Amino acid sequence: LRTALRPLSRVPWRPRLGFAPMSTETVAPGTTHIGWIGTGVMGVSMCGHLINAGYKATVYNRTASKCDALVEKGARLASSPREVAAAADIVFTIVGYPSDVREVIMGEQGVLNGLRPGGVVVDMTTSEPSLAVEIAKAAEAKGAHALDAPVSGGDVGAREARLSIMCGGERAAFDRVRPLLDLMGTNVRHLGPAGSGQHTKMTNQILIATNMIGVVEGLLYAQRAGLDLTETIAAVGAGAAGSWSINNLGPRIVARNFEPGFFVDHFVKDMGIALDEARRMKLSLPGLALAHQLYVALQAQGEGRRGTQALALALERLNGSKTAE
């Protein structure tokens, strides 16, 4: 028998309505138990806001000592992501790389092997859109729900609960966890089906990547011209050239503070994902490619664990000068 071949659909994957029941329990301190996996520069502050709001938390990090601050606030330390999920209604993850996301959510000791039906896993790592779709399908198969919800705002935004949070996934799941997201960010948005949050974060990273080149080159120019860099940042940062990067990272560059709000290594990973997605979409992004190469050079110079503002070091070495007063 001959079977007619149908063209592949280009419609984004969406869960089958009604397959995974959504809990009707109101999210509130005292009734909702949260799980948190990943307590690095960003995660420790983000989870801290939820605990401060009265939520009970179970936490996990590969380096257990990084959970100490949260345990002091009352969190319970778990020995695996699976143990976290078994104790929680809603689990948040924010780890380093897509491979880490896959392991902590879909591994043998991962979240989906512990999460109860109707539960929600919210991945806040910047990761691959295709992996977000895969996780959503795997969660649905277990009667649970998944959101991809990467963030922007750096360590300052995390500490001050002023993050921008970009969410993809089922609207009902988003609406359920929204009260928790509002405790971590001031700009919380649902962008569409699974993977949409990650695509939005790629857009964010593309904007930042090329902007950072401008920030560093502008400061190098101002330094060579003999300007006061602090006054220059105050002047241009309030005008059309103003950006989060010049106003927040510019002063760090001037102060020679290259401690990470966001690691160079992780930024290179993000740009690589964006370039891969652009290539898949047959999209040429030469500015992003240039920024990626400059940051790879910074890695090669041994600066991968610095903050993204350390791009100044790579361009200073090209020019034989420093962006410092």
Side-chain angles (χ1 to χ4, degrees), residues 125-172:
T125 314
T126 300
S127 184
E128 297 163 347
S130 59
L131 180 55
V133 172
E134 186 179 347
I135 289 170
K137 289 179 178 179
E140 180 193 59
K142 289 181 176 288
H145 308 267
L147 295 172
D148 49 292
V151 302
S152 180
D155 59 328
V156 175
R159 284 197 305 271
E160 299 179 358
R162 292 190 293 104
L163 293 170
S164 179
I165 305 177
M166 302 155 247
C167 299
E170 298 171 71
R171 181 76 201 206

Side-chain angles (χ1 to χ4, degrees), residues 53-132:
Y55 288 92
K56 293 182 179 179
T58 300
V59 299
Y60 170 80
N61 196 79
R62 282 183 300 190
T63 303
S65 60
K66 291 186 177 181
C67 294
D68 288 350
L70 297 175
V71 171
E72 288 176 8
K73 287 177 177 283
R76 184 175 75 85
L77 181 64
S79 61
S80 71
R82 183 173 183 169
E83 184 181 337
V84 170
D89 303 296
I90 299 169
V91 178
F92 294 88
T93 61
I94 182 164
V95 292
Y97 296 89
S99 58
D100 299 320
V101 173
R102 181 179 295 278
E103 179 63 25
V104 301
I105 295 179
M106 297 197 293
E108 183 179 347
Q109 291 298 313
V111 170
L112 292 183
N113 280 332
L115 194 63
R116 67 196 68 171
V120 184
V121 57
V122 185
D123 181 36
M124 308 189 84
T125 314
T126 300
S127 184
E128 297 163 347
S130 59
L131 180 55

